[in-house]
Amino acid sequence: MLPILQKGSKNSDPRIREGVCLAVSEIVSNSSEAQREEHEDEIIMIVRRSLVDSSGNVRASAAIAFDILQDVMGAKAIDETIPTLLEALRQPGEGSGTALQALKEVMTVRASTVFPVLIPTLIATPMTAFNARALASLVTVAGNALSKRLTVILTALIRAVEHETDMELKADIEGAVSALLESISDMEGLQTLMLLLAGWVKNEAWTRRVSALNFFRTFCNVSTVDFSLYRPDWVRSLVTLMDDRQMEVVEAAVAAFDSFVKSIEKDDLDSIVVTLRRTIESTGAPGRTVPGFNIKGSVSSMVPVIVAGLTTGNNEQREQAAYAIGDLVERTEEVALKPYVVPFTGPLIRVATQATAFPPGVKVAILKSLGTMLEHIPAHVKPFFPQLSRTFVKSCSDSSSLAVRNAAAKGLGSLTKSNQTRIDALVTELISTAQASDDDAIAASLVLALAYVVRYGITSMGAGAKEACITLIEAAFRERHD
């Protein structure tokens, strides 16, 4: 029977060659070890020839036959088949492409035993374009076998990327990186990847930090696996690296953060806002801006996270989102921040007008951030001056918290420093509201707000407004004396 099958495996009709593979599968499955013993070499030769067949159907059937061979013959099937395919893989020409397809077919049925044998050849240095493309092709069918070899492969790839100067070859290597990262599908592989990258982004060599950030950006762009468990860690790492001493690292961190945010569903953005704010707060130093925040695209990738936290988050997320805006204003150059003033200020004011629904912590955070914007970028907030005035005045009468009223009073002072119009009307409103209040604490807060306004706006006050202030003070001391 074997001579017939050997002849059929060389037939010009691919359907006959495919039938030979199916026949071999049946023979091997239904024969005893004693029956096969003298014919194993012939059987392996037929399968080996069929694995590099020009027909995809023949190769697929041969891969099934190889799987059965490996079950019944063990290591011998691999030892006498895979080396031949690897040798063909190393040779230039059409044969190497066919060998690659054969290995891919074998991998679909026996990745756990075949893939480890292939890795040393695929990641050998110096890496070739063909090996890079072969690796890109084979990792897509490696399944869980990839996870156990991930450290070895990624380490070889990151070194190849860092040292390769041929741009075409480097593009092939990066293609292999992309295919590998897209193929990670289980928790073991994900954990290995996250630990590797987390260590590399802290490496002393700035080139390794850049490479790790680029790998993570690629992962965010191509992967569909859920890595939400690691999001807080990446927020901390990426934002911190925006203040790195090496500008190449800063730029890579900004790009990686943009891809990271885009990989998160819109409804989940508020989940990282608390970590984002606390990291922004601890990044940089007094008196200077953070280099990464000044790069185009950096703040824009933070906007959806902060706005989501401010408008749809829980109370803690709203509070931290509001503080995050103030922290960004203090750490970003004015020109870089200008495009995002409206996206930030609008939601702050909208939430502030609904302040009765929120606890004092949220209100204070909003008012303080608005005050910070008035102190640092008053010219860009100018279109919102009327709304800000109403918001601060209303908050000065907030009965829930002295901290809210104090923040509103201070914010009104910052507004007055930047806006010297309608000072008399504002003074009159504060005085009349304070006099009409039945709550001494609220009245006192309104007078404090008046003090801030007078301090910064006295040169723009009319005689009537000044007289009204004097009268209020005299009345207060007269009542005390009486």
Side-chain angles (χ1 to χ4, degrees):
M1 188 181 294
L2 283 175
I4 297 174
L5 293 175
Q6 286 178 333
K7 184 178 180 180
S9 68
K10 301 175 184 177
N11 194 285
S12 60
D13 188 343
R15 291 174 296 178
I16 293 177
R17 301 199 301 272
E18 182 181 357
V20 168
C21 294
L22 296 174
V24 168
S25 297
E26 291 298 322
I27 291 171
V28 174
S29 298
N30 295 287
S31 58
S32 66
E33 184 176 353
Q35 290 173 316
R36 292 190 306 269
E37 188 174 3
E38 295 182 6
H39 308 289
E40 285 183 350
D41 291 341
E42 293 97 316
I43 293 171
I44 290 174
M45 185 174 65
I46 293 171
V47 173
R48 193 167 57 208
R49 180 186 298 121
S50 300
L51 282 171
V52 292
D53 195 279
S54 58
S55 168
N57 289 336
V58 175
R59 291 196 302 269
S61 298
I64 296 172
F66 174 82
D67 186 37
I68 296 171
L69 279 180
Q70 211 273 332
D71 276 336
V72 299
M73 296 183 187
K76 183 178 180 180
I78 294 177
D79 293 342
E80 295 193 15
T81 304
I82 300 305
T84 303
L85 296 177
L86 283 174
E87 185 59 33
L89 197 64
R90 296 187 185 101
Q91 303 304 317
E94 186 179 344
S96 60
T98 306
L100 174 59
Q101 291 304 314
L103 287 169
K104 194 171 182 180
E105 293 290 354
V106 170
M107 287 269 291
T108 59
V109 295
R110 191 59 70 166
S112 59
T113 52
V114 174
F115 193 50
V117 179
L118 302 178
I119 290 173
T121 297
L122 295 174
I123 64 174
T125 54
M127 186 170 286
T128 65
F130 183 83
N131 279 359
R133 291 193 292 269
L135 181 61
S137 178
L138 293 174
V139 293
T140 62
V141 292
N144 294 341
L146 176 62
S147 302
K148 301 183 185 305
R149 302 291 187 277
L150 200 55
T151 300
V152 173
I153 300 172
L154 271 176
T155 301
L157 286 173
I158 202 167
R159 287 173 179 166
V161 166
E162 290 171 356
H163 295 102
E164 188 53 58
T165 55
D166 185 321
M167 298 311 295
E168 290 186 10
L169 176 52
K170 189 171 184 177
D172 286 327
I173 297 172
E174 289 171 345
V177 172
S178 179
L180 183 147
L181 296 176
E182 187 176 7
S183 300
I184 296 172
S185 58
D186 62 349
M187 290 308 297
E188 181 184 0
L190 178 64
Q191 183 178 24
T192 300
L193 174 67
M194 293 292 106
L195 288 174
L196 272 176
L197 294 182
W200 285 341
V201 296
K202 298 175 183 176
N203 196 282
E204 290 184 3
W206 68 265
T207 52
R208 179 55 55 92
R209 298 199 297 276
V210 170
S211 298
L213 288 167
N214 290 337
F215 276 27
F216 179 69
R217 181 183 63 183
T218 300
F219 172 76
C220 291
N221 290 338
V222 302
S223 179
T224 57
V225 69
D226 179 12
F227 68 106
S228 55
L229 181 66
Y230 300 93
R231 285 174 187 165
D233 294 330
W234 279 109
V235 171
R236 284 187 281 267
S237 295
L238 295 174
V239 175
T240 300
L241 287 170
M242 292 182 194
D243 195 34
D244 194 90
R245 59 185 178 276
Q246 196 74 30
M247 200 60 196
E248 289 88 345
V249 177
V250 172
E251 292 170 350
V254 170
F257 189 81
D258 182 61
S259 294
F260 168 64
V261 172
K262 288 177 179 176
S263 74
I264 303 173
E265 293 290 335
K266 186 177 179 181
D267 293 342
D268 292 335
L269 286 173
D270 55 12
S271 66
I272 62 171
V273 72
V274 175
T275 307
L276 176 61
R277 186 268 161 158
R278 289 174 178 164
T279 309
I280 293 173
E281 183 186 25
S282 61
T283 301
R288 70 171 179 85
T289 60
V290 175
F293 296 172
N294 300 326
I295 293 177
K296 183 178 180 181
S298 173
V299 176
S300 66
S301 58
M302 298 181 187
V303 170
V305 178
I306 294 173
V307 172
L310 187 62
T311 57
T312 63
N314 57 38
N315 288 333
E316 182 188 14
Q317 290 167 342
R318 290 177 189 269
E319 180 179 343
Q320 296 301 318
Y323 277 127
I325 295 173
D327 292 338
L328 274 177
V329 169
E330 292 175 339
R331 291 163 174 79
T332 309
E333 291 178 357
E334 185 174 340
V335 65
L337 193 65
K338 182 180 177 180
Y340 313 108
V341 172
V342 172
F344 280 148
T345 310
L348 279 173
I349 293 175
R350 282 198 302 275
V351 176
T353 58
Q354 307 165 355
T356 53
F358 305 122
V362 175
K363 303 176 189 178
V364 170
I366 292 172
L367 294 169
K368 283 187 174 181
S369 285
L370 289 171
T372 300
M373 296 177 83
L374 285 167
E375 290 288 339
H376 288 79
I377 49 171
H380 302 314
V381 191
K382 189 173 182 180
F384 296 97
F385 279 175
Q387 294 164 275
L388 289 172
S389 180
R390 290 192 294 271
T391 299
F392 287 135
V393 171
K394 181 180 178 181
S395 298
C396 285
S397 299
D398 191 295
S399 60
S400 65
S401 168
L402 175 62
V404 173
R405 297 194 297 273
N406 285 346
K410 187 175 181 180
L412 201 55
S414 298
L415 177 62
T416 304
K417 189 191 305 185
S418 305
N419 179 28
Q420 297 289 310
T421 61
R422 300 189 71 253
I423 298 295
D424 288 0
L426 180 58
V427 168
T428 301
E429 181 180 3
L430 290 172
I431 291 174
S432 61
T433 307
Q435 291 173 333
S437 177
D438 296 328
D439 188 320
D440 288 346
I442 291 177
S445 294
L446 288 162
V447 173
L448 175 64
L450 178 64
Y452 276 112
V453 171
V454 171
R455 177 182 179 184
Y456 295 113
I458 191 167
T459 56
S460 300
M461 288 172 58
K466 292 178 181 177
E467 184 63 32
C469 290
I470 294 171
T471 301
L472 178 68
I473 296 169
E474 289 177 343
F477 279 99
R478 189 181 304 114
E479 289 173 7
R480 293 274 184 180
H481 180 73
D482 292 343

